[in-house]
Amino acid sequence: VDPQRRYNALRALDAVLAELCDKRLLLDKKYVASVISNELSTLVNGGLVPAVDGIGNALSSGDQGLDSGRAKLALQYGTIMVSVLRRLLRHSLPAALNSASASTEAADKVFEVALQTIPVLLGVVCQQNGVHDGNGGVSGVLDEMCRLFVDVQKAYPIEFGRYIGPFLALFHKHFVDISGTILAIEEDSAVGRFVMASMTFLSNVLSCSKYEPDEKTNAAVDSILEGSSINLDGTKRTITSTGDKFSAPSSLGAIESVVRIVWGYFTTSRMEQLADLTIRRHMTLSQCRLDEWADDPEAYFHADASRASDDDINSCAQALYLSLVESRMGKRTVAPQIVTMLRDLDGQAAAARAEADGTASMDTVLLLDAVYTAAGLSLGVLEDGAGFAFSAFFDEYLLPCLEMLVREQKEETPNLPILRHRIVWLIASNTFSVPVASRSRLYQTILSIISDQSRQNDI
């Protein structure tokens, strides 16, 4: 068959599945499940595997091979094929695992092929230094593969348990490697999108209620104990706001297995390393953000308020940090990390004074801004689990520091009021903890920021 005709047919199939998988009628859902049961093996062995082989041949030919028309078509075909499989498995992974052995083997093959292919594709896009997509076709396949695992894990956390170990290792390893080696990571680059997919995957796993290690609060265990209506094909039907979901009833053994894998992987050292990398590398403001702030502060803060984790590294990082610190292990390991940083009052005061007189190191200021952001997002955890007292911190450091920044910041300094803005945000996020006796001083300080037109104001 002509390759272009095969590609056009596959695009048509992808468009049809996009419509069918969003429909809520039981008939439509049964039809999609029948496609998985009857055709998944053909799609994988006759479509995905040859597509990946073609991509591999193109990559082995170097840049010249990638620029050929045949290679570009292979990359486009591979992207659409992964999209088709993503739609099917996100819709009904249990149907594949509960059907004939050929469908189960085909589902396993999808994850096996992707596990081998993602590092290869990532190596190609990393050569572009994470700033620009040198090869849109390669990044397209990589993006779709990452979306597949993020979507399927979120939709079927227990069923995904048979694959979760290797993908935890893959996303964690490459996230750590990239974060430690590539200095400039932008959201619109292929590497940036991989980093966001990695953070989203890790965040979803850490915060998944069905992976909760306490049997009393584990949502999957709870669903078994409650009982449910089981269909003739062995699946359970659940009506949700986004449509009916069909999943295989989980056994306690399957739940225990995936919980053991997840929390066996997230050791204390890995939790601490992830939190440190997330804050230092991905919750700090990029130079692009700083330039936007300097050019138009009001527009910058309006845009910042509408950012979402789907396409923003900072938002993805905040979600991952929250998943880390709010987990059972994170309350014992990550929360004390943040409290230790906040107790370095001398270092914080020195950075704030340096910002006021225009001599601050941007790296120091940006890290402190990220730490304050982390503290503001997780204050409840820090106070309940790590012995942090915001009211004492406010009286001893935050309010005096804010007063100093307002009083001593030089008008001619080229520095943005990064710490001043973040301290105001941190206080505003936790006004209920501000001591009553100190509120008059706080109001006077805030009023002076609002009324002084000679400086760059915090919007």
Side-chain angles (χ1 to χ4, degrees), residues 207-281:
S207 61
C208 181
S209 60
K210 293 186 177 182
Y211 299 157
E212 171 62 46
D214 187 347
E215 183 175 306
K216 294 179 180 178
T217 56
N218 185 292
V221 173
D222 188 55
S223 68
I224 291 178
L225 298 178
E226 284 183 353
S228 57
S229 176
I230 307 301
N231 298 320
L232 293 177
D233 63 356
T235 63
K236 179 182 71 175
R237 179 187 180 191
T238 304
I239 300 174
T240 72
S241 60
T242 57
D244 297 346
K245 301 292 185 182
F246 292 85
S247 60
S250 304
S251 67
L252 287 175
I255 298 169
E256 290 172 0
S257 175
V258 67
V259 169
R260 192 179 304 114
I261 292 171
V262 169
W263 295 110
Y265 187 84
F266 285 114
T267 60
T268 297
S269 60
R270 281 177 175 156
M271 295 283 283
E272 292 174 345
Q273 179 197 42
L274 270 175
D276 187 69
L277 269 179
T278 300
I279 292 171
R280 292 178 183 275
R281 282 306 316 275

Side-chain angles (χ1 to χ4, degrees), residues 100-152:
S101 60
S103 296
T104 303
E105 291 172 4
D108 291 343
K109 188 71 173 180
V110 172
F111 294 96
E112 176 190 337
V113 168
L115 199 63
Q116 297 169 353
T117 306
I118 286 176
V120 177
L121 300 177
L122 190 59
V124 173
V125 298
C126 281
Q127 292 176 0
Q128 308 299 323
N129 294 323
V131 178
H132 300 292
D133 289 339
N135 232 296
V138 172
S139 66
V141 181
L142 179 62
D143 291 347
E144 278 297 329
M145 284 190 171
C146 290
R147 287 183 66 192
L148 190 159
F149 306 117
V150 170
D151 288 357
V152 175

Side-chain angles (χ1 to χ4, degrees), residues 6-15 74-87 140-141 144:
R6 289 188 64 188
Y7 171 69
N8 292 342
L10 190 62
R11 285 192 62 185
L13 175 61
D14 187 55
L75 290 166
Q76 292 171 350
Y77 183 86
T79 301
I80 300 298
M81 177 56 71
V82 176
S83 176
V84 166
L85 295 171
R86 175 177 61 82
R87 297 186 195 283
V141 181
E144 278 297 329

Side-chain angles (χ1 to χ4, degrees), residues 196-210:
M196 288 190 287
S198 298
M199 288 193 286
T200 301
F201 182 85
L202 295 171
S203 175
N204 288 348
V205 171
L206 284 162
S207 61
C208 181
S209 60
K210 293 186 177 182

Side-chain angles (χ1 to χ4, degrees), residues 222-348:
D222 188 55
S223 68
I224 291 178
L225 298 178
E226 284 183 353
S228 57
S229 176
I230 307 301
N231 298 320
L232 293 177
D233 63 356
T235 63
K236 179 182 71 175
R237 179 187 180 191
T238 304
I239 300 174
T240 72
S241 60
T242 57
D244 297 346
K245 301 292 185 182
F246 292 85
S247 60
S250 304
S251 67
L252 287 175
I255 298 169
E256 290 172 0
S257 175
V258 67
V259 169
R260 192 179 304 114
I261 292 171
V262 169
W263 295 110
Y265 187 84
F266 285 114
T267 60
T268 297
S269 60
R270 281 177 175 156
M271 295 283 283
E272 292 174 345
Q273 179 197 42
L274 270 175
D276 187 69
L277 269 179
T278 300
I279 292 171
R280 292 178 183 275
R281 282 306 316 275
H282 305 295
M283 286 177 64
T284 53
L285 296 173
S286 66
Q287 187 58 50
C288 180
R289 295 279 173 84
L290 296 174
D291 291 341
E292 291 175 10
W293 184 350
D295 291 341
D296 190 340
E298 184 172 2
Y300 168 76
F301 287 112
H302 282 306
D304 192 58
S306 62
R307 298 185 197 278
S309 58
D310 291 341
D311 56 1
D312 181 75
I313 283 184
N314 281 90
S315 298
C316 278
Q318 291 177 21
L320 176 55
Y321 165 74
L322 279 173
S323 296
L324 286 163
V325 77
E326 291 177 348
S327 67
R328 180 180 293 260
M329 182 179 291
K331 292 175 181 177
R332 301 193 304 265
T333 57
V334 177
Q337 273 184 284
I338 307 304
V339 172
T340 299
M341 295 178 183
L342 292 172
R343 285 177 175 159
D344 179 19
L345 299 183
D346 291 339
Q348 294 174 63

Side-chain angles (χ1 to χ4, degrees), residues 159-179:
E159 290 82 358
F160 190 82
R162 66 192 283 139
Y163 313 111
I164 197 167
F167 283 97
L168 270 177
L170 181 143
F171 282 114
H172 173 255
K173 175 186 182 301
H174 290 292
F175 170 72
V176 171
D177 290 347
I178 291 171
S179 299

